[in-house]
Amino acid sequence: MLLARQSIIHSRSLLRSFSTTPIRQTKVAVLGAGGGIGQPLSLLLKADPLVSALSLYDIRGAPGVAADVSHIDTQSDVQGFAQDQVAQALDGSKIILIPAGVPRKPGMTRDDLFNTNASIVRDLAKSISEHSPDAHVLVISNPVNSTVPIVSEVFKKAGNYQSNRLYGITTLDVVRASRFLSSVRGTDPVETPVTVVGGHSGVTIVPLLSQSPVGKALSQDSEDWSSLVHRIQFGGDEVVKAKDGAGSATLSMAYAAAKFTHALLRALNGEKGVITPTFTESPLFKDQGVSFFSSNVELGPEGITKIHPLGSISPAEQKLIENALPELKKNIEKGLKFADNSP
Ligand code: NAD
Ligand code: LMR
């Protein structure tokens, strides 16, 4: 009885954390909705009042997930689609999230997922470009540093690429940075934002602690600073190790993707000043051959309206950026080459 009451209180506070005025009808699709991320993500999107319809697709299990979340008492309609129904799943979808693909096991890097996930993402991108070319595409599948360039190339080949509508989801790095810093400093994560830039794997994840009112208190020569940076960069490994072969982060990732989606929905609904980081085609390091980069961007009714510069960074952070760039370049080129050589 007590547990049931607590869970009702919890879901009310989850709903309250979303703003509540649906202005425009926005259908959201999840491709990979039957998976470890897809299921809790579908749940969180069903709870978001800015979502008017939810389209759940997977090669297995999506109709079951759809039947389940469709009983939740929010207004959105939910439909589930099986393997041969990708076109129906995409029809009319304005925001499309892709968590389809395999996750890591202990000892693997995200790049080790490339051989399997690159073609899954490429094929889904082809379907999107055919059936819903104006959608906002949010890529979760790893390696994000390569899968986002793959999606861009597929759209370019089809002649309908809009870089302002393509987003690699790096929100989990920001969520972790805020949580890890707040646990070191004894602050509330809500009041401990941290800007994280670069990419989404190991050394390409660059937290800018000097820009955080809480983080700047840490001396960048200290052991505390380097172990915090390392934890933010390799936080995903902690979960992979703890799950011991059963996959990688799913619940925290679903939370992060739902958070990003809500920010985008607010912007699509006309809210001004929505700023969030994402891995997207970016001019920031293009002259060094790095054509995609994650930094804070401003969102508007058409997607990304402005890519923010990094702002002032410390010498230690400059070094982190220098370490990130060669790896990022390699990952991006790998994705572009794969898509280029694909039929
Ligand atoms: P999972 O194996 O639990 O789920 C993946 C789902 O994708 C499965 O249900 C599978 O049936 C489905 N799928 C496979 N091929 C498909 C296709 N062609 N069309 C539609 N669905 C398809 O894996 P997971 O734990 O949910 O992780 C998914 C991906 O997300 C992995 O690549 C993982 O590395 C990545 N990930 C990214 C982040 C991030 O921060 N961006 C965080 C965590 C995980
Ligand atoms: C994460 O950061 O948790 C994800 O990218 C999954 C992984 O492989 O670590």
Side-chain angles (χ1 to χ4, degrees), residues 24 50 95 136-138 162-171 256-281 294-308:
R24 135 182 175 165
L50 296 182
I95 295 179
H136 298 263
V137 183
L138 283 54
Q162 300 172 72
S163 61
N164 54 318
R165 288 167 186 251
L166 176 59
Y167 318 79
I169 304 304
T170 56
T171 316
K259 195 172 183 180
F260 184 91
T261 307
H262 189 68
L264 180 58
L265 283 160
R266 282 165 43 217
L268 298 185
N269 275 328
E271 187 176 323
K272 303 258 181 283
V274 180
I275 294 173
T276 187
T278 189
F279 184 72
T280 193
E281 186 159 0
S294 180
S295 66
N296 277 331
V297 304
E298 197 159 327
L299 299 173
E302 297 303 320
I304 298 169
T305 53
K306 187 173 173 199
I307 293 176
H308 285 234

Side-chain angles (χ1 to χ4, degrees), residues 298-335:
E298 197 159 327
L299 299 173
E302 297 303 320
I304 298 169
T305 53
K306 187 173 173 199
I307 293 176
H308 285 234
L310 298 192
S312 127
I313 63 172
S314 69
E317 290 162 354
Q318 179 61 38
K319 248 200 187 120
L320 293 178
I321 297 274
E322 281 159 20
N323 286 342
L325 291 177
E327 177 73 11
L328 259 178
K329 186 169 186 285
K330 203 170 67 187
N331 298 159
I332 293 164
E333 281 170 356
K334 185 170 177 178

Side-chain angles (χ1 to χ4, degrees), residues 165-244:
R165 288 167 186 251
L166 176 59
Y167 318 79
I169 304 304
T170 56
T171 316
L172 183 52
D173 302 319
V174 179
V175 164
R176 282 184 180 136
S178 166
R179 175 69 193 144
F180 296 165
L181 173 61
S182 71
S183 60
V184 171
R185 302 300 293 175
T187 54
D188 181 345
V190 174
E191 283 147 23
T192 317
V194 180
T195 300
V196 182
V197 300
H200 177 68
S201 73
V203 298
T204 71
I205 298 169
V206 179
L208 301 180
L209 293 164
S210 70
Q211 293 182 359
S212 151
V214 177
K216 71 180 178 200
L218 286 175
S219 158
Q220 300 211 345
D221 297 328
S222 68
E223 180 55 34
D224 282 353
W225 179 84
S226 22
S227 55
L228 179 60
V229 169
H230 186 272
R231 191 168 183 215
I232 294 167
Q233 292 184 317
F234 295 92
D237 296 19
E238 286 181 20
V239 184
V240 172
K241 189 163 172 238
K243 290 199 175 178
D244 197 19

